[in-house]
Amino acid sequence: MNNYPKLHNATWPGIVGKGPDSEPAIALDTMLEMTAAAEVDGVKFDGVDLGLFDPHYDLDTSDDGVKRLADKVSKYGLEIGSLVAPIWGGPAMGTADERKTFVEMVKKSCEIGQKLRNMGIRPNGIVRIDSASSPEAWAKDPAGNTKLIAQTWREACDVAADYGERLAAEGEICWGGMHSWKKVIETMEMVDRPGLLGFQADMSHTTLYLLGYNAPEDRVLPADFQWGDRETFLEGLKKLTAALRPWTIDFHVAQNDGTVHGTGSHDKTGRHCLATDPNGKLDIAHDAGLWLRDESGALTKAFKHICWDGCMFANEVMTKQQTWNDILAAMIQVRKQHGWVE
């Protein structure tokens, strides 16, 4: 059986889309318990990817706090992978002070990441960022705002290098300068930090790139596209993955029903559906292979773990153990078809 890539679950869906104007956040302990309890034919999750933000984590915690986090996760027999830096208080194209805040959040996250690596609980993974800016704000000055984002990201890359970390920009239609596949490539090319900055591909979010949400000019699928046309969909997905795969250093397995969704204060973006959702448009295991294999069909092995992202599921769904067993089963199929042995 393939033992790579390692199979991780994300903990931040317990927070994203939750809050005073939605449902209560789900505690980190609960997310870890559900993840650790999932099992399919003797196979379990290998680890978790963490969001470094309240109420799951205090970014300003002491070294003892980092150790407590490591102990908490290891108690469940899990390792730690990628980390999400809480950069939304400082837009990457904002004022000088806001951009300074962005870089400071990346620095604190990279410092924690380094400490977790030194403790031996985090053998791989990146620090995830975005532009922390809306497409609407970006569109007021596309050229100038892209230049500002690139400048902020370059400074963040320099900080990441000091801690031996890499940054991955999440491709999602709700982030300005990243709201289309062409825009995110343009932004990353302007940053020009190969080896330090890459792309985080999420199977749900990137599906909406094909449909041109928030960037109709960059739509890949024809305007009259119908979801029953699998052949045309795959042609579009192959074009998208060929362009973004060389940048991809972190990967989220997910399902999408072709619509946008947002809850609480989170802007609408690619809907994360359950792995078993009958309205899901993706053949999860097959379509993941377009990201995990190059155009000749060879495995890229560009990352040592893959992560399930299921943001904005209802709490009733997230607190059912069967939900996580079904998700794990989908992840196992991805590894079975596109994994390797080390």
Side-chain angles (χ1 to χ4, degrees), residues 68-99:
R68 285 195 298 272
L69 173 66
D71 290 343
K72 181 192 293 281
V73 175
S74 65
K75 181 181 72 173
Y76 290 99
L78 300 167
E79 63 183 28
I80 296 173
S82 296
L83 307 173
V84 180
I87 37 71
W88 308 287
M93 61 182 210
T95 65
D97 284 344
E98 287 172 333
R99 287 183 280 117

Side-chain angles (χ1 to χ4, degrees), residues 3 8 69 104 116 205 208 244 248-249 282 294 297 335:
N3 61 349
H8 284 207
L69 173 66
E104 182 64 20
L116 292 171
H205 298 324
L208 294 191
L244 289 170
T248 303
I249 61 173
L282 300 170
D294 65 21
R335 182 163 70 182

Side-chain angles (χ1 to χ4, degrees), residues 9-20 22-35 50-51 53-57 72 310-320 323-324:
N9 190 24
T11 62
W12 58 82
I15 304 175
V16 175
K18 311 297 181 183
S22 181
E23 295 185 300
I26 299 175
L28 176 60
D29 281 316
T30 302
M31 296 297 297
L32 293 173
E33 289 168 7
M34 303 296 284
T35 301
L50 300 173
F53 40 90
D54 293 334
H56 282 187
Y57 190 76
K72 181 192 293 281
C311 285
M312 291 180 276
F313 289 160
N315 285 0
E316 180 185 4
V317 171
M318 292 184 66
T319 51
K320 289 180 180 178
T323 295
W324 305 107

Side-chain angles (χ1 to χ4, degrees), residues 35-320:
T35 301
E39 184 171 349
V40 178
D41 296 331
V43 179
K44 301 175 73 68
F45 279 107
D46 299 298
V48 288
D49 287 5
L50 300 173
L52 298 178
F53 40 90
D54 293 334
H56 282 187
Y57 190 76
D58 178 3
L59 199 62
D60 292 317
T61 192
S62 64
D63 285 356
D64 287 342
V66 179
K67 181 65 164 57
R68 285 195 298 272
L69 173 66
D71 290 343
K72 181 192 293 281
V73 175
S74 65
K75 181 181 72 173
Y76 290 99
L78 300 167
E79 63 183 28
I80 296 173
S82 296
L83 307 173
V84 180
I87 37 71
W88 308 287
M93 61 182 210
T95 65
D97 284 344
E98 287 172 333
R99 287 183 280 117
K100 182 178 179 181
T101 296
F102 184 105
V103 175
E104 182 64 20
M105 294 299 102
V106 172
K107 179 180 179 181
K108 290 182 178 181
S109 300
C110 288
E111 184 176 8
I112 291 167
Q114 183 187 57
K115 290 175 181 176
L116 292 171
R117 277 190 286 112
N118 291 340
M119 292 173 185
I121 195 171
R122 184 171 172 256
N124 54 65
I126 52 81
V127 173
R128 171 225 177 268
I129 61 169
D130 54 61
S131 67
S133 308
S134 70
E136 293 79 10
W138 173 89
K140 295 176 181 177
D141 182 9
N145 285 327
T146 299
K147 187 175 180 180
L148 279 176
I149 294 169
Q151 177 184 333
T152 306
W153 284 5
R154 274 194 298 272
E155 293 175 14
C157 284
D158 292 341
V159 166
D162 291 339
Y163 292 93
E165 292 289 339
R166 293 184 301 165
L167 306 180
E170 182 191 38
E172 192 171 349
I173 62 167
C174 65
W175 304 127
M178 309 174 64
H179 56 285
S180 88
W181 63 286
K182 288 188 176 180
K183 301 300 187 296
V184 73
I185 290 174
E186 290 170 5
T187 305
M188 291 192 298
E189 286 179 339
M190 188 176 292
V191 174
D192 193 24
R193 289 291 191 275
L196 290 174
L197 175 69
F199 182 68
Q200 182 189 75
D202 178 292
M203 291 179 66
S204 177
H205 298 324
T206 51
T207 297
L208 294 191
Y209 278 168
L210 296 172
L211 301 173
Y213 279 96
N214 291 341
E217 69 277 10
D218 294 338
R219 184 185 180 109
V220 177
L221 295 174
D224 60 353
F225 170 74
Q226 299 295 314
W227 278 109
D229 187 355
R230 173 76 175 167
E231 182 178 354
T232 298
F233 172 75
L234 283 178
E235 288 177 5
L237 188 58
K238 287 176 182 177
K239 179 178 179 179
L240 182 75
T241 53
L244 289 170
R245 190 190 309 111
W247 291 93
T248 303
I249 61 173
D250 199 58
F251 184 65
H252 287 174
V253 180
Q255 180 59 283
N256 183 284
D257 68 1
T259 68
V260 296
H261 179 62
T263 61
S265 61
H266 196 288
D267 289 340
K268 290 182 179 180
T269 187
R271 179 185 286 272
H272 283 117
C273 297
L274 290 173
T276 54
D277 193 319
N279 294 316
K281 308 305 184 186
L282 300 170
D283 180 334
I284 294 176
H286 175 278
D287 297 350
L290 296 178
W291 293 99
L292 298 169
R293 296 179 181 273
D294 65 21
E295 290 172 74
S296 70
L299 291 170
T300 67
K301 300 183 182 180
F303 27 84
K304 291 293 188 79
H305 82 279
I306 56 178
C307 182
W308 175 270
D309 191 343
C311 285
M312 291 180 276
F313 289 160
N315 285 0
E316 180 185 4
V317 171
M318 292 184 66
T319 51
K320 289 180 180 178

